[in-house]
Structure formats: C-alpha cells, structure tokens
mmCIF file of all heavy atoms in Angstrom:
data_model
loop_
_atom_site.group_PDB
_atom_site.id
_atom_site.type_symbol
_atom_site.label_atom_id
_atom_site.label_comp_id
_atom_site.label_asym_id
_atom_site.label_seq_id
_atom_site.Cartn_x
_atom_site.Cartn_y
_atom_site.Cartn_z
ATOM 1 N N ASP A 23 -44.587 208.971 0.639
ATOM 2 C CA ASP A 23 -45.502 208.884 1.775
ATOM 3 C C ASP A 23 -46.953 208.797 1.344
ATOM 4 O O ASP A 23 -47.750 208.111 2.001
ATOM 5 C CB ASP A 23 -45.306 210.093 2.695
ATOM 6 C CG ASP A 23 -44.018 210.019 3.479
ATOM 7 O OD1 ASP A 23 -43.504 208.893 3.687
ATOM 8 O OD2 ASP A 23 -43.498 211.083 3.873
ATOM 9 N N THR A 24 -47.326 209.487 0.277
ATOM 10 C CA THR A 24 -48.706 209.498 -0.186
ATOM 11 C C THR A 24 -48.762 209.377 -1.697
ATOM 12 O O THR A 24 -47.779 209.710 -2.379
ATOM 13 C CB THR A 24 -49.431 210.791 0.234
ATOM 14 O OG1 THR A 24 -48.909 211.877 -0.561
ATOM 15 C CG2 THR A 24 -49.247 211.095 1.722
ATOM 16 N N PRO A 25 -49.877 208.955 -2.242
ATOM 17 C CA PRO A 25 -50.019 208.892 -3.705
ATOM 18 C C PRO A 25 -49.829 210.247 -4.367
ATOM 19 O O PRO A 25 -49.368 210.323 -5.515
ATOM 20 C CB PRO A 25 -51.425 208.361 -3.909
ATOM 21 C CG PRO A 25 -51.773 207.659 -2.647
ATOM 22 C CD PRO A 25 -51.064 208.394 -1.555
ATOM 23 N N GLY A 26 -50.177 211.315 -3.659
ATOM 24 C CA GLY A 26 -50.020 212.638 -4.225
ATOM 25 C C GLY A 26 -48.580 213.037 -4.467
ATOM 26 O O GLY A 26 -48.320 214.014 -5.203
ATOM 27 N N ASP A 27 -47.649 212.306 -3.838
ATOM 28 C CA ASP A 27 -46.241 212.623 -4.017
ATOM 29 C C ASP A 27 -45.611 211.902 -5.192
ATOM 30 O O ASP A 27 -44.420 212.078 -5.471
ATOM 31 C CB ASP A 27 -45.475 212.225 -2.733
ATOM 32 C CG ASP A 27 -45.901 213.049 -1.540
ATOM 33 O OD1 ASP A 27 -46.197 214.239 -1.707
ATOM 34 O OD2 ASP A 27 -45.998 212.494 -0.423
ATOM 35 N N VAL A 28 -46.379 211.067 -5.896
ATOM 36 C CA VAL A 28 -45.863 210.355 -7.065
ATOM 37 C C VAL A 28 -45.710 211.340 -8.227
ATOM 38 O O VAL A 28 -46.575 212.166 -8.471
ATOM 39 C CB VAL A 28 -46.776 209.189 -7.457
ATOM 40 C CG1 VAL A 28 -46.302 208.523 -8.746
ATOM 41 C CG2 VAL A 28 -46.856 208.178 -6.334
ATOM 42 N N ALA A 29 -44.616 211.254 -8.948
ATOM 43 C CA ALA A 29 -44.407 212.115 -10.108
ATOM 44 C C ALA A 29 -45.522 211.901 -11.118
ATOM 45 O O ALA A 29 -46.031 210.788 -11.281
ATOM 46 C CB ALA A 29 -43.055 211.819 -10.752
ATOM 47 N N PRO A 30 -45.912 212.969 -11.846
ATOM 48 C CA PRO A 30 -47.075 212.900 -12.737
ATOM 49 C C PRO A 30 -46.828 212.225 -14.069
ATOM 50 O O PRO A 30 -47.748 212.104 -14.875
ATOM 51 C CB PRO A 30 -47.421 214.378 -12.952
ATOM 52 C CG PRO A 30 -46.094 215.074 -12.849
ATOM 53 C CD PRO A 30 -45.326 214.309 -11.790
ATOM 54 N N TRP A 31 -45.629 211.723 -14.311
ATOM 55 C CA TRP A 31 -45.294 211.188 -15.627
ATOM 56 C C TRP A 31 -46.179 210.021 -16.052
ATOM 57 O O TRP A 31 -46.420 209.816 -17.224
ATOM 58 C CB TRP A 31 -43.834 210.778 -15.669
ATOM 59 C CG TRP A 31 -42.894 211.876 -15.269
ATOM 60 C CD1 TRP A 31 -42.960 213.178 -15.658
ATOM 61 C CD2 TRP A 31 -41.780 211.763 -14.389
ATOM 62 N NE1 TRP A 31 -41.953 213.911 -15.070
ATOM 63 C CE2 TRP A 31 -41.210 213.074 -14.287
ATOM 64 C CE3 TRP A 31 -41.191 210.731 -13.690
ATOM 65 C CZ2 TRP A 31 -40.080 213.347 -13.516
ATOM 66 C CZ3 TRP A 31 -40.080 210.999 -12.906
ATOM 67 C CH2 TRP A 31 -39.533 212.272 -12.831
ATOM 68 N N GLY A 32 -46.650 209.222 -15.097
ATOM 69 C CA GLY A 32 -47.457 208.064 -15.440
ATOM 70 C C GLY A 32 -48.939 208.289 -15.371
ATOM 71 O O GLY A 32 -49.714 207.328 -15.228
ATOM 72 N N ALA A 33 -49.400 209.538 -15.501
ATOM 73 C CA ALA A 33 -50.812 209.850 -15.331
ATOM 74 C C ALA A 33 -51.682 209.094 -16.330
ATOM 75 O O ALA A 33 -52.785 208.619 -15.982
ATOM 76 C CB ALA A 33 -51.039 211.354 -15.469
ATOM 77 N N SER A 34 -51.238 208.960 -17.571
ATOM 78 C CA SER A 34 -52.059 208.267 -18.555
ATOM 79 C C SER A 34 -52.171 206.776 -18.261
ATOM 80 O O SER A 34 -53.214 206.159 -18.513
ATOM 81 C CB SER A 34 -51.472 208.481 -19.957
ATOM 82 O OG SER A 34 -50.163 207.919 -20.055
ATOM 83 N N VAL A 35 -51.087 206.197 -17.715
ATOM 84 C CA VAL A 35 -51.133 204.784 -17.334
ATOM 85 C C VAL A 35 -52.085 204.584 -16.161
ATOM 86 O O VAL A 35 -52.872 203.623 -16.132
ATOM 87 C CB VAL A 35 -49.731 204.286 -16.995
ATOM 88 C CG1 VAL A 35 -49.761 202.800 -16.593
ATOM 89 C CG2 VAL A 35 -48.780 204.483 -18.161
ATOM 90 N N LEU A 36 -52.053 205.498 -15.206
ATOM 91 C CA LEU A 36 -52.954 205.421 -14.067
ATOM 92 C C LEU A 36 -54.413 205.536 -14.531
ATOM 93 O O LEU A 36 -55.278 204.785 -14.077
ATOM 94 C CB LEU A 36 -52.642 206.532 -13.076
ATOM 95 C CG LEU A 36 -53.549 206.632 -11.855
ATOM 96 C CD1 LEU A 36 -53.520 205.347 -11.029
ATOM 97 C CD2 LEU A 36 -53.169 207.830 -10.983
ATOM 98 N N GLN A 37 -54.673 206.439 -15.453
ATOM 99 C CA GLN A 37 -56.022 206.594 -15.978
ATOM 100 C C GLN A 37 -56.507 205.316 -16.645
ATOM 101 O O GLN A 37 -57.645 204.872 -16.462
ATOM 102 C CB GLN A 37 -56.080 207.762 -16.978
ATOM 103 C CG GLN A 37 -57.477 207.980 -17.553
ATOM 104 C CD GLN A 37 -57.502 209.061 -18.614
ATOM 105 O OE1 GLN A 37 -56.507 209.278 -19.309
ATOM 106 N NE2 GLN A 37 -58.617 209.758 -18.748
ATOM 107 N N ALA A 38 -55.614 204.693 -17.429
ATOM 108 C CA ALA A 38 -55.969 203.433 -18.096
ATOM 109 C C ALA A 38 -56.278 202.351 -17.071
ATOM 110 O O ALA A 38 -57.216 201.557 -17.261
ATOM 111 C CB ALA A 38 -54.860 202.985 -19.025
ATOM 112 N N HIS A 39 -55.492 202.263 -15.988
ATOM 113 C CA HIS A 39 -55.759 201.273 -14.944
ATOM 114 C C HIS A 39 -57.134 201.497 -14.341
ATOM 115 O O HIS A 39 -57.902 200.533 -14.170
ATOM 116 C CB HIS A 39 -54.685 201.337 -13.862
ATOM 117 C CG HIS A 39 -53.478 200.531 -14.156
ATOM 118 N ND1 HIS A 39 -52.506 200.917 -15.051
ATOM 119 C CD2 HIS A 39 -53.069 199.322 -13.661
ATOM 120 C CE1 HIS A 39 -51.557 200.001 -15.116
ATOM 121 N NE2 HIS A 39 -51.879 199.023 -14.293
ATOM 122 N N ARG A 40 -57.459 202.727 -14.026
ATOM 123 C CA ARG A 40 -58.771 202.992 -13.413
ATOM 124 C C ARG A 40 -59.891 202.618 -14.378
ATOM 125 O O ARG A 40 -60.912 202.063 -13.975
ATOM 126 C CB ARG A 40 -58.851 204.458 -13.016
ATOM 127 C CG ARG A 40 -58.000 204.811 -11.814
ATOM 128 C CD ARG A 40 -57.972 206.288 -11.528
ATOM 129 N NE ARG A 40 -57.293 206.594 -10.265
ATOM 130 C CZ ARG A 40 -56.902 207.809 -9.901
ATOM 131 N NH1 ARG A 40 -57.095 208.841 -10.726
ATOM 132 N NH2 ARG A 40 -56.292 208.003 -8.740
ATOM 133 N N GLN A 41 -59.704 202.942 -15.650
ATOM 134 C CA GLN A 41 -60.761 202.648 -16.621
ATOM 135 C C GLN A 41 -60.942 201.142 -16.841
ATOM 136 O O GLN A 41 -62.060 200.638 -16.872
ATOM 137 C CB GLN A 41 -60.437 203.329 -17.959
ATOM 138 C CG GLN A 41 -60.506 204.847 -17.910
ATOM 139 C CD GLN A 41 -59.937 205.488 -19.169
ATOM 140 O OE1 GLN A 41 -59.203 204.839 -19.928
ATOM 141 N NE2 GLN A 41 -60.270 206.744 -19.405
ATOM 142 N N LEU A 42 -59.843 200.441 -16.969
ATOM 143 C CA LEU A 42 -59.921 199.004 -17.274
ATOM 144 C C LEU A 42 -60.356 198.214 -16.054
ATOM 145 O O LEU A 42 -61.079 197.204 -16.189
ATOM 146 C CB LEU A 42 -58.578 198.505 -17.800
ATOM 147 C CG LEU A 42 -58.288 198.936 -19.247
ATOM 148 C CD1 LEU A 42 -56.824 198.751 -19.590
ATOM 149 C CD2 LEU A 42 -59.174 198.155 -20.224
ATOM 150 N N ILE A 43 -59.960 198.630 -14.876
ATOM 151 C CA ILE A 43 -60.439 197.956 -13.660
ATOM 152 C C ILE A 43 -61.923 198.229 -13.476
ATOM 153 O O ILE A 43 -62.693 197.331 -13.080
ATOM 154 C CB ILE A 43 -59.626 198.387 -12.438
ATOM 155 C CG1 ILE A 43 -58.185 197.862 -12.558
ATOM 156 C CG2 ILE A 43 -60.270 197.871 -11.143
ATOM 157 C CD1 ILE A 43 -57.241 198.395 -11.480
ATOM 158 N N ALA A 44 -62.365 199.447 -13.785
ATOM 159 C CA ALA A 44 -63.785 199.753 -13.719
ATOM 160 C C ALA A 44 -64.580 198.899 -14.697
ATOM 161 O O ALA A 44 -65.667 198.405 -14.375
ATOM 162 C CB ALA A 44 -64.026 201.231 -14.014
ATOM 163 N N LEU A 45 -64.026 198.689 -15.894
ATOM 164 C CA LEU A 45 -64.680 197.800 -16.855
ATOM 165 C C LEU A 45 -64.791 196.394 -16.292
ATOM 166 O O LEU A 45 -65.836 195.745 -16.404
ATOM 167 C CB LEU A 45 -63.898 197.816 -18.165
ATOM 168 C CG LEU A 45 -64.410 196.938 -19.313
ATOM 169 C CD1 LEU A 45 -64.128 197.607 -20.651
ATOM 170 C CD2 LEU A 45 -63.792 195.540 -19.289
ATOM 171 N N ARG A 46 -63.736 195.944 -15.690
ATOM 172 C CA ARG A 46 -63.723 194.596 -15.097
ATOM 173 C C ARG A 46 -64.821 194.466 -14.034
ATOM 174 O O ARG A 46 -65.487 193.451 -13.921
ATOM 175 C CB ARG A 46 -62.342 194.329 -14.477
ATOM 176 C CG ARG A 46 -62.193 192.965 -13.811
ATOM 177 C CD ARG A 46 -61.903 191.933 -14.851
ATOM 178 N NE ARG A 46 -61.700 190.607 -14.283
ATOM 179 C CZ ARG A 46 -61.152 189.597 -14.934
ATOM 180 N NH1 ARG A 46 -60.732 189.783 -16.179
ATOM 181 N NH2 ARG A 46 -61.012 188.422 -14.392
ATOM 182 N N ARG A 47 -64.995 195.508 -13.245
ATOM 183 C CA ARG A 47 -66.003 195.461 -12.204
ATOM 184 C C ARG A 47 -67.422 195.543 -12.777
ATOM 185 O O ARG A 47 -68.357 194.970 -12.214
ATOM 186 C CB ARG A 47 -65.757 196.582 -11.198
ATOM 187 C CG ARG A 47 -64.468 196.394 -10.384
ATOM 188 C CD ARG A 47 -64.147 197.626 -9.555
ATOM 189 N NE ARG A 47 -65.118 197.828 -8.499
ATOM 190 C CZ ARG A 47 -64.892 197.538 -7.219
ATOM 191 N NH1 ARG A 47 -63.750 197.013 -6.843
ATOM 192 N NH2 ARG A 47 -65.806 197.773 -6.306
ATOM 193 N N ARG A 48 -67.571 196.265 -13.892
ATOM 194 C CA ARG A 48 -68.898 196.340 -14.516
ATOM 195 C C ARG A 48 -69.332 194.980 -15.064
ATOM 196 O O ARG A 48 -70.491 194.581 -14.940
ATOM 197 C CB ARG A 48 -68.901 197.370 -15.661
ATOM 198 C CG ARG A 48 -68.907 198.805 -15.229
ATOM 199 C CD ARG A 48 -69.339 199.735 -16.365
ATOM 200 N NE ARG A 48 -68.505 199.638 -17.538
ATOM 201 C CZ ARG A 48 -67.351 200.283 -17.709
ATOM 202 N NH1 ARG A 48 -66.856 201.026 -16.730
ATOM 203 N NH2 ARG A 48 -66.670 200.158 -18.849
ATOM 204 N N TYR A 49 -68.377 194.304 -15.682
ATOM 205 C CA TYR A 49 -68.681 193.005 -16.293
ATOM 206 C C TYR A 49 -68.136 191.906 -15.394
ATOM 207 O O TYR A 49 -67.091 191.292 -15.673
ATOM 208 C CB TYR A 49 -68.071 192.939 -17.701
ATOM 209 C CG TYR A 49 -68.698 193.936 -18.644
ATOM 210 C CD1 TYR A 49 -68.060 195.114 -18.970
ATOM 211 C CD2 TYR A 49 -69.957 193.692 -19.197
ATOM 212 C CE1 TYR A 49 -68.620 196.036 -19.837
ATOM 213 C CE2 TYR A 49 -70.546 194.604 -20.065
ATOM 214 C CZ TYR A 49 -69.876 195.767 -20.384
ATOM 215 O OH TYR A 49 -70.458 196.678 -21.239
ATOM 216 N N ARG A 50 -68.844 191.609 -14.321
ATOM 217 C CA ARG A 50 -68.368 190.680 -13.316
ATOM 218 C C ARG A 50 -68.200 189.274 -13.861
ATOM 219 O O ARG A 50 -67.420 188.486 -13.326
ATOM 220 C CB ARG A 50 -69.317 190.696 -12.100
ATOM 221 C CG ARG A 50 -69.384 192.036 -11.397
ATOM 222 C CD ARG A 50 -70.344 192.029 -10.252
ATOM 223 N NE ARG A 50 -69.950 191.094 -9.222
ATOM 224 C CZ ARG A 50 -70.672 190.841 -8.137
ATOM 225 N NH1 ARG A 50 -71.849 191.432 -7.967
ATOM 226 N NH2 ARG A 50 -70.255 189.989 -7.223
ATOM 227 N N TRP A 51 -68.890 188.979 -14.928
ATOM 228 C CA TRP A 51 -68.818 187.641 -15.515
ATOM 229 C C TRP A 51 -67.458 187.368 -16.137
ATOM 230 O O TRP A 51 -67.133 186.217 -16.446
ATOM 231 C CB TRP A 51 -69.905 187.446 -16.557
ATOM 232 C CG TRP A 51 -70.007 188.517 -17.601
ATOM 233 C CD1 TRP A 51 -70.832 189.599 -17.609
ATOM 234 C CD2 TRP A 51 -69.236 188.605 -18.809
ATOM 235 N NE1 TRP A 51 -70.649 190.362 -18.734
ATOM 236 C CE2 TRP A 51 -69.671 189.768 -19.509
ATOM 237 C CE3 TRP A 51 -68.237 187.829 -19.399
ATOM 238 C CZ2 TRP A 51 -69.127 190.184 -20.739
ATOM 239 C CZ3 TRP A 51 -67.688 188.219 -20.614
ATOM 240 C CH2 TRP A 51 -68.137 189.376 -21.260
ATOM 241 N N LEU A 52 -66.637 188.392 -16.314
ATOM 242 C CA LEU A 52 -65.309 188.186 -16.906
ATOM 243 C C LEU A 52 -64.444 187.234 -16.099
ATOM 244 O O LEU A 52 -63.492 186.636 -16.629
ATOM 245 C CB LEU A 52 -64.587 189.528 -17.062
ATOM 246 C CG LEU A 52 -65.031 190.409 -18.240
ATOM 247 C CD1 LEU A 52 -64.455 191.817 -18.109
ATOM 248 C CD2 LEU A 52 -64.613 189.786 -19.560
ATOM 249 N N VAL A 53 -64.737 187.059 -14.834
ATOM 250 C CA VAL A 53 -63.875 186.241 -13.977
ATOM 251 C C VAL A 53 -63.777 184.805 -14.489
ATOM 252 O O VAL A 53 -62.726 184.151 -14.327
ATOM 253 C CB VAL A 53 -64.370 186.278 -12.508
ATOM 254 C CG1 VAL A 53 -65.712 185.597 -12.360
ATOM 255 C CG2 VAL A 53 -63.346 185.666 -11.571
ATOM 256 N N THR A 54 -64.821 184.298 -15.136
ATOM 257 C CA THR A 54 -64.778 182.931 -15.653
ATOM 258 C C THR A 54 -64.974 182.894 -17.180
ATOM 259 O O THR A 54 -65.253 181.845 -17.731
ATOM 260 C CB THR A 54 -65.860 182.058 -14.996
ATOM 261 O OG1 THR A 54 -67.131 182.695 -15.154
ATOM 262 C CG2 THR A 54 -65.580 181.874 -13.497
ATOM 263 N N ALA A 55 -64.781 184.028 -17.832
ATOM 264 C CA ALA A 55 -65.003 184.128 -19.273
ATOM 265 C C ALA A 55 -63.889 183.412 -20.046
ATOM 266 O O ALA A 55 -62.729 183.344 -19.607
ATOM 267 C CB ALA A 55 -65.102 185.580 -19.694
ATOM 268 N N THR A 56 -64.239 182.954 -21.246
ATOM 269 C CA THR A 56 -63.260 182.346 -22.151
ATOM 270 C C THR A 56 -63.141 183.201 -23.404
ATOM 271 O O THR A 56 -63.996 184.021 -23.720
ATOM 272 C CB THR A 56 -63.664 180.917 -22.522
ATOM 273 O OG1 THR A 56 -64.980 180.934 -23.082
ATOM 274 C CG2 THR A 56 -63.637 180.014 -21.305
#
C-alpha cells in the first residue's frame, strides 16, 4: 500500500538510485551528452 511497507533488503539499491538520479538532475546537459 505504501513505500514504507517495502522490505528493507534493497535499501542500498534505493540509495544508489536516489544518488544517481540526483546526479543526473545536477548535470542537466547529460540528456544529449556523448
């Protein structure tokens, strides 16, 4: 029903997603980068 009900086993993966998505948002030019 809620994100809080998800088992904690994937906490490190979730942290990596938040960090890497934040990086993507900081460097907006990545959208067309080669």
Side-chain angles (χ1 to χ4, degrees):
D23 288 335
T24 71
D27 296 323
V28 175
W31 305 317
S34 63
V35 180
L36 177 60
Q37 180 184 30
H39 274 77
R40 287 173 172 166
Q41 292 170 342
L42 286 164
I43 293 172
L45 180 147
R46 180 81 178 195
R47 292 171 69 102
R48 285 197 302 277
Y49 295 102
R50 296 179 63 184
W51 52 264
L52 282 168
V53 68
T54 55
T56 56

